[in-house]
Amino acid sequence: MDDSPRPPSNEQSPPPPPPQPQSQTGTPTDFLKGVVGKRVVVRLVSGVDYKGLLSCLDGFMNIALEQTEEHVNGRITNRYGDTFVRGNNVLYISADEPL
Amino acid sequence: MASQILPLELIDRCIGSKIWVIMKSEREFTGTLLGFDDYVNIVLEDVTEFETTAQGVKKTKLAQTLLNGSNIAMLIPGSEGPEAN
Amino acid sequence: MDSSVTGIQEPFDLIRLSLSERVFVKLRGDRELTGILHAYDGHMNLIMSDVEETIMIVDQESAANGHGVVNVAKRKMDMLFVRGDGVILVSPPSRT
């Protein structure tokens, strides 16, 4: 691709670029966009923590994690390759590395 | 007639300020409010979690955190939390 | 492993890719299941076969003493429907 300015053309002008995703708006959606692919702590209502790499999630806060460690009372109690966590159990999702 | 303000408008005015979040269970959070949505899912920064157990209050520091709105009971705008006084 | 490699766009993809595989399911009430996953829906209702259920029973008295004796009960079922609202997590076999 050549990124020099294009000559003017008679073609229909391209649609305006989508609004720049603001890096520092703080809605839950913005947070989730920023945190996918990062290391996170997912704490369940029961107090159990799942630490791992956040693969993806949906609007119900259903979560897919990779390289998951289950922590109970500060001790690792299980390791899973991949994990699906049902969203209703989720208390919070917290970044475990700088965003 | 008194001017009407919706509950979530009040919370919207707290974005960027400290907020104290009290959950339905024995658990509380303080932090800087970054944003929220219609379900009152809440994004906080520089968070402290307070968990009250029989052994006492357990504190946990957290970075940017999304709190699930379904477990939230109350929000106290502008408060540094349970240890403010 | 990157999600672009594993082809997971949404959490349910993880479950879809585990159909006909042996999965681990953690349920509310300290119950765990392993079995072959045959079907699921958006509630995470599950149909599983060849299931082994593990129930953790913590003895309250010894737990209070800090010993934390856990009795484990196991049983087998041929075919099982799991109501989705009890599901905490599902872990598929590692695809390595």
Side-chain angles (χ1 to χ4, degrees), chain B residues 39-60:
Chain B
Y39 303 103
V40 202
N41 298 316
I42 283 182
V43 183
L44 296 176
E45 195 168 53
D46 303 324
V47 186
T48 310
E49 176 182 1
F50 301 86
E51 190 183 358
T52 309
T53 64
Q55 285 76 43
V57 178
K58 188 181 165 211
K59 281 202 279 181
T60 312

Side-chain angles (χ1 to χ4, degrees), chain A residues 45-63:
Chain A
V45 180
S46 64
V48 177
D49 286 343
Y50 293 94
K51 296 192 184 191
L53 209 58
L54 182 64
S55 315
C56 57
L57 35 70
D58 63 21
F60 297 105
M61 282 202 207
N62 294 321
I63 294 171

